[in-house]
Amino acid sequence: MLVHEDLCVGCGLCVKYCPVGAITIVDRKAHIDQDKCLECGTCGRQRIVKCPRGALYENPGVYTYPRSIRKFFSDPMAYHPETKVPGRGTEEVKTNDVTGRVKRGEYGIAIEMGRPTVGASYVDVEKMTMALSKFNIEYEAKNPVKTLFLDEKKGTLKEEAKQQSVISGIIEFTIPAEELEAVLETIMETAKTIDTVFSLDLICRFSDEDPYKMPEVPVLEKFGLAPRPNNKINLGMGRPLVEE
Amino acid sequence: MSHTLHRFGPEETFQNDFPFISRPAMKINSDGAAPKMRRVMEIALDHEPVNWGSLTTKQNLTMGFDREELLNKTEDNSPAMGCFDDRDKVVAVLKQLKEEDLGMSVVITGLRDKVEEMCHEAGLTPHSADLALGIFGATELLPEDETLCFTTMCGHAMLSAGLVRQIRKAVREGRMTPEEGAKILAKPCYCGIFNQTRAAMLLEQEKEANQKNEE
Ligand code: SF4
Ligand code: SF4
């Protein structure tokens, strides 16, 4: 975002709304640090931030590559040109009853780099994808991160992507159940080397034997992991229901 | 975007927190889905969600909501997104959706026992779970837990820690009611999954704890 300096009266109202602290008041004018700004769009939304002068406006270059990477991975209202899905990820568990993306005997993993609140540079995303390259991972085809690979097998990302930071970039893939332990070990080891946070998601099917019992994943204990008490459940209402 | 996952805070603060999402699967059952999605939204809105949002019309329930505009702009790939603060309302929505058999996928986020119980009551068999395993990496960069309880209610991280701290302080100091504070915090979340009832409760709890400390 940019500021019309001639309009801004330096009231400071917008400052607190920026999730990454990119706005400061300098010489009684709002100043947006263009390196820090992730182009999430929040400060420019008049229904949220009631700038008395309408002084905040979208940088016209924000949809031009590679700055557009910031926009598409930070502003949930920007539709990715490749996936036509707003936001940073995919339909994941939301439509798993219809897509069958994660089947019994498999786990879906999402590593949400930068989430919550901190943001991530694609240098950190690459650290994770390179570490995962020892596995034969097929990244989720509809996830926009897939478009940023230089060499998907090696896990390397395009140079221009690595110069960008975003609110979050989601590394998303499905693995056979027997690989879970080794993949989690790699994720946890890599966690020690990155300069941001990530949220870790695990998608699994409910069992046939007790359809109301939350799936149990014994291997998690080895890593001291316990799912939060609040989770996201697909209720199986989509049609046609995927048959396995 | 698993944006209703990873809501942070003590377990007891999720008793009345049920983000709701429904959507078609692109290219599988999305062709001609608009009337079905519209109906999903009508049913959900008839049962008074605490919040509701739309990335198409760029509005949520807390900023003055035009129900007809939202319904009329429903397209084949429009998701239905919002949040309920009452499990009985969710069960009523699910029963109605089941009866009308619209065939759109539905996910509910909530405490596992509660969601299981609600499925039972509505006669639904859950299909898959997305489990939140936690937050890792340079966790020293995170804001304090009390602030994370609010910021994580907007899964896209549009709600800044700075604004949360400012509102928490204003409520603690009696310059704003918890409800007023919750309404301000709900605005940046256009998806409408931010739960103002939970936010007001958290603000109230902090205010009371602060008053006790001062006594
Ligand atoms: S809200 Fe508007 S007038 Fe106030 S500091 Fe920000 S840009 Fe300037
Ligand atoms: S667009 Fe987002 S990241 Fe950039 S200054 Fe505005 S609020 Fe901050």
Side-chain angles (χ1 to χ4, degrees):
Chain A
M1 292 293 281
L2 297 169
V3 182
H4 280 297
E5 287 210 358
D6 43 341
L7 293 178
C8 174
V9 290
C11 70
L13 185 74
C14 54
V15 173
K16 284 279 190 287
Y17 281 87
C18 176
V20 292
I23 314 176
T24 49
I25 301 292
V26 180
D27 295 333
R28 297 216 208 139
K29 300 280 176 196
H31 169 77
I32 298 181
D33 180 329
Q34 293 301 304
D35 273 345
K36 274 192 181 173
C37 171
L38 302 182
E39 304 291 2
C40 76
T42 299
C43 59
R45 292 184 184 121
Q46 275 287 330
R47 294 181 79 178
I48 301 174
V49 184
K50 296 193 167 40
C51 169
R53 306 297 304 273
L56 295 148
Y57 68 103
E58 190 168 78
N59 178 345
V62 78
Y63 294 98
T64 306
Y65 188 80
R67 183 119 185 137
S68 59
I69 292 172
R70 290 180 187 238
K71 186 75 182 161
F72 292 128
F73 287 88
S74 301
D75 183 348
M77 257 149 314
Y79 278 70
H80 281 272
E82 292 86 5
T83 63
K84 311 276 187 279
V85 173
R88 300 148 207 164
T90 63
E91 294 173 14
E92 35 88 11
V93 81
K94 291 197 268 305
T95 53
N96 200 45
D97 48 350
V98 174
T99 62
R101 202 189 124 217
V102 180
K103 300 179 178 60
R104 289 210 170 86
E106 292 179 336
Y107 289 112
I109 291 185
I111 309 166
E112 305 193 49
M113 302 293 291
R115 182 180 176 201
T117 305
V118 176
S121 129
Y122 269 99
V123 171
D124 281 320
V125 177
E126 187 187 56
K127 280 184 193 161
M128 190 61 83
T129 49
M130 283 181 74
L132 289 167
S133 67
K134 62 183 171 205
F135 302 100
N136 194 20
I137 282 174
E138 187 64 49
Y139 291 99
E140 168 59 33
K142 289 179 182 161
N143 187 307
V145 168
K146 181 131 169 144
T147 63
L148 302 178
F149 278 113
L150 182 65
D151 183 331
E152 193 174 324
K153 288 286 161 230
K154 291 183 185 153
T156 52
L157 300 179
K158 294 173 185 164
E159 268 320 304
E160 63 273 20
K162 286 193 283 179
Q163 283 156 26
Q164 302 298 326
S165 293
V166 295
I167 294 256
S168 66
I170 308 177
I171 303 167
E172 210 179 343
F173 54 93
T174 300
I175 51 167
E178 54 274 17
E179 280 186 15
L180 182 62
E181 185 171 342
V183 168
L184 282 178
E185 195 158 7
T186 299
I187 294 172
M188 290 305 159
E189 275 306 307
T190 312
K192 296 173 192 160
T193 69
I194 59 168
D195 294 320
T196 186
V197 295
F198 61 87
S199 297
L200 187 57
D201 317 348
L202 187 76
I203 299 178
C204 42
R205 290 287 319 269
F206 277 74
S207 86
D208 252 348
E209 288 119 48
D210 185 350
Y212 291 107
K213 198 166 169 0
M214 188 68 97
E216 280 174 20
V217 190
V219 74
L220 296 180
E221 277 171 37
K222 187 178 169 206
F223 300 96
L225 297 173
R228 284 196 55 78
N230 46 334
N231 296 290
K232 186 170 172 182
I233 315 293
N234 178 313
L235 305 183
M237 299 184 88
R239 298 292 177 270
L241 195 63
V242 73
E243 302 293 345
E244 285 177 20
Chain B
M1 59 181 173
S2 63
H3 67 340
T4 61
L5 201 61
H6 299 287
R7 288 160 96 89
F8 183 87
E11 184 168 342
E12 62 276 14
T13 67
F14 293 102
Q15 294 296 327
N16 298 308
D17 186 45
F18 303 103
F20 172 103
I21 299 178
S22 174
R23 62 160 304 130
M26 292 276 269
K27 297 198 177 131
I28 299 181
N29 59 7
S30 59
D31 279 356
K36 294 175 188 171
M37 284 312 305
R38 183 187 164 109
R39 185 65 194 134
V40 171
M41 290 184 210
E42 280 173 349
I43 292 170
L45 289 169
D46 285 347
H47 289 85
E48 299 171 339
V50 64
N51 200 355
W52 198 261
S54 166
L55 298 179
T56 316
T57 63
K58 298 183 173 43
Q59 57 184 351
N60 69 35
L61 210 54
T62 63
M63 52 175 64
F65 188 75
D66 187 334
R67 176 183 161 126
E68 284 315 305
E69 186 195 1
L70 172 85
L71 293 174
N72 290 339
K73 285 198 174 156
T74 309
E75 294 168 9
D76 280 354
N77 66 346
S78 298
M81 301 181 291
C83 189
F84 288 87
D85 62 357
D86 179 341
R87 51 94 63 205
D88 291 343
K89 288 179 182 172
V90 184
V91 172
V93 169
L94 296 178
K95 282 184 174 167
Q96 183 77 32
L97 287 174
K98 184 167 189 263
E99 195 183 310
E100 297 194 21
D101 196 15
L102 296 164
M104 298 290 101
S105 297
V106 175
V107 291
I108 297 284
T109 304
L111 292 175
R112 98 181 42 136
D113 297 349
K114 291 216 169 238
V115 179
E116 282 169 25
E117 195 187 279
M118 283 151 58
C119 284
H120 234 296
E121 236 175 283
L124 297 168
T125 310
H127 183 276
S128 331
D130 196 349
L131 308 178
L133 298 187
I135 304 165
F136 306 95
T139 50
E140 67 277 10
L141 299 174
L142 291 169
E144 60 287 353
D145 288 359
E146 294 80 358
T147 293
L148 266 185
C149 290
F150 296 89
T151 55
T152 53
M153 281 200 278
C154 171
H156 287 126
M158 297 295 98
L159 174 54
S160 79
L163 183 66
V164 172
R165 289 187 191 113
Q166 189 179 52
I167 299 296
R168 284 175 51 212
K169 186 164 185 278
V171 173
R172 273 198 315 267
E173 292 173 354
R175 287 182 280 118
M176 195 182 273
T177 67
E179 289 70 27
E180 286 165 348
K183 202 170 170 193
I184 294 171
L185 294 177
K187 288 210 167 89
C189 171
Y190 274 33
C191 296
I193 59 164
F194 186 94
N195 181 341
Q196 299 99 280
T197 305
R198 178 172 181 260
M201 179 192 69
L202 290 164
L203 290 167
E204 179 69 48
Q205 281 175 355
E206 186 174 349
K207 184 182 169 185
E208 282 172 10
N210 194 52
Q211 278 166 351
K212 273 200 189 115
N213 280 345
E214 281 176 358
E215 279 165 17

